[in-house]
Amino acid sequence: RGGGKGNERGTKGMKGVKGLGGLTSPPSPPPTTRRRQWRRREGRASSERINSIACARHERRSEALESEVSWVASSVSSASSSSFDANQDANESEQVRFPFTLSCSSSRSLKKWSVVIPTYNRLGILKKCLAALETQELEGSGIEAYEVVVVDDESEDDTVKHIEEEDVYSKVKLVKAEHGGAAAARNVGVRASRGGVIVFIDSDMVVTQTFLKSHARKLYDSFKRHGDCLSFTYGAVINTNNFDSPESEPHKVSDYSAAFFATGNVAIAYDTLMGTNTKAERDVDRDGDDGPFDVNFSTYGWEDLELGERLRGIGSRLVHAPEAVGYHWHPPFKMEDLGALVEREMQRGANGIKFFMKHPNLRVRLMIQYTPIHFVLWWLLTLGGLLSAKRMSRVFGLLCKKGFHRAATLLLVPILNWECVKATFKAARESGV
């Protein structure tokens, strides 16, 4: 590849060689061309080196993943495979032990699941809820057994009678609790459960046949990838007014939720859930105090999102499971419901300040709408408070009479939000926040 003089000498030396007479060396490329050729050769070599490194890394990752998957599978399968009907004490020696930051080392198997459902006067839709949970498809899910723990919060309808007398629910375990609200009822349900994974849904939700299976796939996959049980899955919640066939409701933009943790459709490891317990901060004499939910939220609102803030504090991870679908039934708006809806929003506003006092950060302040922007917004949308439930009652009654229940509901949204924000600011003044 020499240039100039070297090429001339080589050419002269080859003139007398047979078969090479008159052969001349090709002209040497200019320096710029030689640099380009060198760069192309170096580029090809670099690409080959990068590809070989990437292949080696891929092989190492594959080997590590296979090792991790087999390790977790063998660890989980070491738990007891007996049904929920077996004596729990007999399984204490067969613990699932993982070297986790938050150890999943209780006697509860991660392959046994408990669905906890608090209920109060919802027998009609509860029947559909329990029927859907009786026919869950578990093949390939990794779940060995599951139970459905129904906590009756002193219902005044025939909920207890129906569950006790109807021999149609093979998975249901009925627990009767003193009337104390959703937070206390869920705590009672968690204590009565026996699964290593707890699923929370509401009693007015109807799930699909692959509901538990879809949660399990996402949850177990996250356990394996992260090497701990701090993850929890949140499924899709589709709101519907269709009682006869809630599953026919399509997914809507309005069904989206930005909540980190909400009990409408969530699956979480028992040990992770109980790691958020703040029992020492409460009066433990009341039924339902010994559990993850704060029973100071005895009225409507925020008890699940407050728990979510504590889950953030221990490093929990939200994993979306959109295939785990639950249809949340809401009865169409009726005039006789107006007073109860306003009262519920006032309770939500008061509880919002309890939430903020426990977690005084900007995220919670925005959640509970405790900002001047929210106050002015809903004040303006209700025309300075002139659009109230009382003043608009005739309009709501006319819309309901004509069958325009959805229109009445949309018109009610700013009024209810204004009631909630007013209650929030009132509670803040009374609490000295």
Side-chain angles (χ1 to χ4, degrees):
R1 200 174 58 179
K5 295 181 179 180
N7 284 340
E8 291 176 4
R9 286 195 298 270
T11 302
K12 290 178 182 179
M14 290 187 291
K15 284 182 179 179
V17 180
K18 186 178 180 179
L20 296 178
L23 178 65
T24 59
S25 173
S28 175
T32 303
T33 302
R34 291 199 301 273
R35 284 196 296 270
R36 289 175 181 170
Q37 292 172 347
W38 179 82
R39 288 171 182 167
R40 281 198 295 269
R41 286 194 297 270
E42 289 298 313
R44 285 194 295 269
S46 297
S47 298
E48 292 174 359
R49 287 194 296 271
I50 291 172
N51 289 335
S52 63
I53 292 172
C55 291
R57 287 179 178 174
H58 177 73
E59 291 175 359
R60 288 196 297 269
R61 287 174 181 170
S62 299
E63 292 173 359
L65 179 61
E66 291 176 2
S67 175
E68 183 180 9
V69 169
S70 61
W71 168 73
V72 174
S74 62
S75 299
V76 172
S77 62
S78 66
S80 173
S81 60
S82 60
S83 66
F84 276 114
D85 295 330
N87 188 346
Q88 185 71 16
D89 294 336
N91 295 328
E92 291 182 355
S93 61
E94 301 181 17
Q95 295 183 359
V96 183
R97 297 191 178 276
F98 298 99
F100 295 161
T101 303
L102 179 64
S103 177
C104 292
S105 58
S106 69
S107 60
R108 298 190 176 212
S109 169
L110 290 173
K111 303 190 90 173
K112 290 179 168 56
W113 288 44
S114 296
V115 183
V116 175
I117 307 174
T119 187
Y120 180 71
N121 292 342
R122 287 178 175 172
L123 178 58
I125 192 64
L126 178 65
K127 292 179 182 179
K128 290 180 176 289
C129 173
L130 299 182
L133 288 168
E134 282 289 314
T135 58
Q136 289 294 294
E137 296 177 3
L138 299 182
E139 185 178 357
S141 67
I143 301 175
E144 291 181 351
Y146 72 96
E147 63 178 355
V148 179
V149 181
V150 178
V151 183
D152 181 72
D153 197 26
E154 287 192 334
S155 295
E156 297 171 353
D157 58 11
D158 293 330
T159 296
V160 173
K161 180 180 178 182
H162 171 76
I163 296 177
E164 288 180 339
E165 295 183 0
E166 294 291 333
D167 189 20
V168 293
Y169 304 120
S170 61
K171 303 292 185 181
V172 172
K173 175 182 180 180
L174 176 64
V175 181
K176 302 174 188 177
E178 297 178 4
H179 185 63
R186 290 192 182 100
N187 284 347
V188 171
V190 171
R191 291 205 311 271
S193 68
R194 289 167 287 178
V197 175
I198 306 296
V199 179
F200 291 109
I201 65 171
D202 294 329
S203 59
D204 52 3
M205 178 172 285
V206 180
V207 302
T208 60
Q209 284 189 323
T210 58
F211 175 75
L212 293 180
K213 185 176 184 177
S214 300
H215 268 297
R217 285 177 174 174
K218 292 288 187 178
L219 192 62
Y220 287 155
D221 178 67
S222 186
F223 287 173
K224 293 172 185 177
R225 282 189 291 109
H226 295 285
D228 58 37
C229 58
L230 290 173
S231 302
F232 64 90
T233 50
Y234 187 69
V237 177
I238 299 177
N239 296 291
T240 179
N241 299 129
N242 190 340
F243 180 83
D244 296 327
S245 180
E247 302 92 339
S248 63
E249 185 78 18
H251 197 282
K252 308 172 291 297
V253 176
S254 58
D255 294 322
Y256 171 76
S257 172
F260 177 71
F261 181 88
T263 50
N265 183 353
V266 67
I268 184 170
Y270 172 84
D271 284 1
T272 301
L273 184 67
M274 296 305 289
T276 66
N277 194 358
T278 56
K279 181 176 63 174
E281 300 177 7
R282 317 179 200 147
D283 174 12
V284 295
D285 293 334
R286 289 176 292 172
D287 186 28
D289 275 17
D290 188 12
F293 294 94
D294 188 344
V295 296
N296 289 316
F297 295 85
S298 57
T299 54
Y300 183 81
W302 305 117
E303 76 282 349
D304 49 354
L305 278 80
E306 189 280 323
L307 172 58
E309 285 298 298
R310 284 182 277 133
L311 287 169
R312 284 181 187 270
I314 63 171
S316 289
R317 293 175 294 270
L318 166 61
V319 179
H320 289 284
E323 298 85 3
V325 179
Y327 297 90
H328 195 186
W329 178 73
H330 301 273
F333 171 72
K334 301 186 295 292
M335 272 303 298
E336 51 265 33
D337 299 332
L338 184 58
L341 290 174
V342 171
E343 177 62 27
R344 190 176 72 173
E345 291 306 313
M346 294 173 67
Q347 293 176 0
R348 189 208 298 266
N351 275 348
I353 293 301
K354 293 180 184 178
F355 184 13
F356 182 69
M357 291 176 70
K358 291 191 68 174
H359 308 278
N361 57 56
L362 178 60
R363 181 173 54 247
V364 173
R365 183 184 285 270
L366 293 174
M367 274 191 239
I368 67 173
Q369 304 189 90
Y370 183 45
T371 69
I373 294 175
H374 288 98
F375 189 93
V376 173
L377 172 65
W378 297 118
W379 182 80
L380 290 173
L381 290 177
T382 56
L383 303 181
L386 291 176
L387 298 181
S388 64
K390 184 177 180 179
R391 292 191 179 98
M392 296 293 292
S393 59
R394 289 187 178 181
V395 176
F396 293 137
L398 181 61
L399 290 173
C400 291
K401 186 176 180 180
K402 297 293 184 180
F404 299 122
H405 300 282
R406 191 177 294 274
T409 302
L410 291 175
L411 186 59
L412 190 59
V413 168
I415 296 175
L416 293 179
N417 274 281
W418 175 235
E419 294 292 342
C420 178
V421 169
K422 284 195 301 181
T424 301
F425 277 79
K426 179 182 177 181
R429 290 192 301 270
E430 293 175 351
S431 303
V433 176

